Amino acid sequence: MKKIRPKVYVYGAVALVAIMAVSLYYFFFTVFSTKPTAEYLYIDDDDNIDSVMVKLQPMASAHSLTGFSTLARHFGYDGEKIHTGRYEITPNTSTFTLFRHIKNGMQSPVKLTIPESRTIERLAGTLADKLMIDSAEIAEHLADDAFCSKYGHDTATIMALFIPDTYEVYWNISLERLMEKMQKSNQRFWNANRKQKADALGLTPVEISTMASIIDEETANNGEKPMIAGMYYNRLKINMPLQADPTIKFAHKDFALRRIYNKLLTIDSPYNTYKNAGLPPGPIKIASVAGIDAVLNLVNHNYLYMCAKEDFSGTHNFAVTYQEHLRNAARYAKALNERGIK
């Protein structure tokens, strides 16, 4: 009988190790996704390992799913509480890396843009589109004075807490944590320079935001906003009603109105600046940064009146006297009629 040479055992062992190494690499360290661009896995509160596997299936190759399932069993992930979150799966993400991220809750952040929303409901809808939080939950809490008071506001002024910007947050952030982030952002925004300018005008940051929200609705022309701010400030100083058309739209909750007729001015609302002197109780939208800075850097002049220009340029004719204002208004009304704008 021939003796088996020791080299044969060595070669066999090397071959076995090589096969194991290739298998390990194939199932665990090759790319997980078959997609050419980044995909995202969203894991909710009610997900389990089975539903996670179902969500992963459209993105993965068969061997990647097998590898992920094997890792889940081996590391006990299938019996653990699933970490909620948003997980990025790039074309270069390996099965092992993805598993490690999901198991440890290492999710990818979301770029959340706070828009210049007109209503709490619209803001809630925008936030819910980007986050795990339900829109109804957001709207309900922002309409609760007790909840708003935690952040130094009430339901009328809570919109002043939000500064339009893009923030990096996690998809599963709680509403409370989101509000804390908004509060810190607001505190950074209202730095010493802005607070000093607000104090010089005798207005609080909330009042500045309230006036800015009206000005934002009056024009999209940032260059003209300081002029409009100066006009409204002149009215405030003499306790003259602001008579701001955007506040009438807000009071009626009808933002499609293109002309403000006298019959609309009788609405009983604290936001009716034709009936009530001074600023309304709070912002009529999330004010833009340009709008806020326009108020803080308003132009000092003697104008008390303004009317949209008849050329529909989005800018305004300003007037010192009511008689001059009536002439401006007549030209604008004529232009509206000629265009058939009701």
Side-chain angles (χ1 to χ4, degrees):
M1 187 179 205
K2 250 184 169 181
K3 274 178 129 184
I4 300 175
R5 297 180 183 179
K7 283 186 177 180
V8 173
Y9 291 110
V10 173
Y11 292 150
V14 169
L16 182 61
V17 170
I19 292 170
M20 290 177 62
V22 170
S23 297
L24 284 171
Y25 179 79
Y26 180 69
F27 284 102
F28 304 127
F29 295 101
T30 53
V31 293
F32 180 86
S33 176
T34 59
K35 306 295 183 181
T37 57
E39 298 281 319
Y40 293 91
L41 169 70
Y42 294 87
I43 300 180
D44 300 296
D45 281 323
D46 56 355
D47 274 319
N48 54 35
I49 185 59
D50 293 327
S51 60
V52 169
M53 292 296 292
V54 169
K55 288 181 177 181
L56 286 173
Q57 190 171 5
M59 311 176 199
S61 61
H63 71 271
S64 297
L65 281 177
T66 300
F68 189 94
S69 178
T70 302
L71 289 169
R73 287 196 308 274
H74 182 74
F75 288 99
Y77 179 65
D78 54 350
E80 292 182 3
K81 176 175 172 57
I82 305 297
H83 289 290
T84 61
R86 171 185 181 264
Y87 300 91
E88 184 180 35
I89 307 172
T90 72
N92 298 317
T93 303
S94 71
T95 301
F96 182 79
T97 298
L98 175 63
F99 173 76
R100 183 167 59 88
H101 287 177
I102 293 174
K103 184 178 187 297
N104 297 324
M106 299 165 62
Q107 56 179 306
S108 305
V110 173
K111 296 289 186 182
L112 175 67
T113 300
I114 299 296
E116 297 169 25
S117 302
R118 285 168 166 163
T119 67
I120 291 295
E121 292 75 21
R122 290 186 183 183
L123 173 62
T126 299
L127 296 179
D129 283 343
K130 289 286 187 178
L131 304 174
M132 195 172 78
I133 316 171
D134 183 69
S135 62
E137 178 189 350
I138 299 171
E140 180 182 350
H141 280 81
L142 294 184
D144 178 12
D145 275 322
F147 178 83
C148 295
S149 67
K150 297 177 186 178
Y151 309 99
H153 289 271
D154 56 31
T155 54
T157 65
I158 192 64
M159 294 289 254
L161 180 72
F162 296 90
I163 304 298
D165 202 349
T166 298
Y167 302 86
E168 194 170 88
V169 300
Y170 287 117
W171 178 70
N172 62 351
I173 190 172
S174 68
L175 181 56
E176 288 75 13
R177 290 290 300 275
L178 177 64
M179 294 298 289
E180 289 168 8
K181 189 175 184 70
M182 294 299 101
Q183 187 175 43
K184 289 177 182 176
S185 173
N186 185 282
Q187 290 166 352
R188 287 193 299 271
F189 178 81
W190 284 101
N191 54 30
N193 182 47
R194 285 192 173 99
K195 284 182 178 177
Q196 186 177 20
K197 289 180 178 180
D199 290 341
L201 294 172
L203 299 173
T204 67
V206 170
E207 290 172 329
I208 295 289
S209 294
T210 300
M211 190 188 295
S213 71
I214 296 172
I215 294 167
D216 282 338
E217 290 291 275
E218 290 281 15
T219 184
N221 187 319
N222 289 336
E224 193 185 47
K225 287 179 180 180
M227 280 289 292
I228 299 174
M231 189 212 71
Y232 280 133
Y233 188 64
N234 288 342
R235 289 189 170 196
L236 282 179
K237 288 190 295 185
I238 62 174
N239 202 35
M240 176 181 175
L242 296 185
Q243 297 181 337
D245 288 355
T247 66
I248 302 301
K249 295 180 182 181
F250 184 86
H252 284 276
K253 291 295 186 288
D254 187 352
F255 303 104
L257 290 170
R258 301 187 67 181
R259 298 185 72 165
I260 304 300
Y261 294 98
N262 287 333
K263 64 182 180 181
L264 298 173
L265 306 182
T266 59
I267 186 171
D268 186 17
S269 167
Y271 291 91
N272 185 345
T273 57
Y274 278 81
K275 292 178 68 173
N276 307 299
L279 291 164
I284 61 173
K285 62 172 287 186
I286 294 178
S288 70
V289 172
I292 292 172
D293 284 341
V295 178
L296 293 174
N297 300 284
L298 58 81
V299 175
N300 290 302
H301 53 62
N302 296 323
Y303 296 125
L304 285 174
Y305 304 93
M306 74 173 189
C307 179
K309 284 186 177 178
E310 62 277 11
D311 61 2
F312 297 97
S313 61
T315 56
H316 295 77
N317 288 312
F318 293 87
V320 175
T321 67
Y322 186 58
Q323 289 72 24
E324 184 183 357
H325 170 66
L326 287 178
R327 291 193 291 272
N328 292 336
R331 289 199 301 273
Y332 182 61
K334 181 174 180 290
L336 288 173
N337 292 333
E338 288 174 349
R339 293 198 177 196
I341 298 175
K342 302 296 183 184

